[in-house]
Amino acid sequence: MTYAPPPPPPPGAGYPAPPPQGYPAPPPSGYPGAPANPVQLSIEYQERFSRGLGCLGALLFYGRMIALIPVFICLLLAGIVVAIVAWVMQLVVVLTGHYPKGPHSFVTGYVRYSTRTTAWYLGLTDKYPGFFNFKV
């Protein structure tokens, strides 16, 4: 039995599909003047990591999960408030076209805190996230 590759698709059947009638084509990725993504993440690589903290994550991350119980409680409580604030702010945006700076800082601070917690849990950093630490 011999293997024959499948025939090529007919012209125009490739991906991405052309835009629907009346819509402009999306700009190519990386074109000059493209706006930068407003959400960026960078986690600096550490040259040395703690072996003791590595032991916490060695057995399916159970040690790190136990160490993060207080942080998970903080994330849960703050997450409830963030969900309410974000929902109310969507109504504010609909009515005014503006997202107030204070609630924006609060919601983005929660996202940063959650990301720092995930980075510590996965062993990408040795710095414990702390409690309700929404600062940069």
Side-chain angles (χ1 to χ4, degrees):
M1 183 166 167
T2 60
Y3 172 75
Y15 290 98
Q21 185 72 15
Y23 287 91
S29 155
Y31 74 99
N37 191 329
V39 178
Q40 299 177 11
L41 173 67
S42 64
I43 300 174
E44 293 182 20
Y45 178 76
Q46 295 177 191
E47 291 299 323
R48 298 195 40 88
F49 288 87
S50 167
R51 290 182 181 187
L53 289 175
C55 290
L56 285 177
L59 296 172
L60 301 175
F61 296 103
Y62 288 130
R64 286 185 183 258
M65 279 191 268
I66 292 169
L68 283 173
I69 288 173
V71 175
F72 289 149
I73 293 169
C74 294
L75 278 171
L76 175 68
L77 297 174
I80 292 168
V81 175
V82 163
I84 294 168
V85 168
W87 180 73
V88 170
M89 288 303 107
Q90 293 308 303
L91 296 175
V92 169
V93 168
V94 167
L95 297 174
T96 67
H98 183 261
Y99 202 121
K101 194 172 185 92
H104 183 271
S105 296
F106 178 67
V107 173
T108 57
Y110 173 81
V111 171
R112 282 192 300 270
Y113 181 54
S114 174
T115 303
R116 281 194 303 269
T117 301
T118 303
W120 189 84
Y121 172 71
L122 296 175
L124 297 174
T125 181
D126 283 348
K127 187 175 180 191
Y128 191 74
F131 306 104
F132 292 109
N133 184 9
F134 287 17
K135 303 248 192 279
V136 175

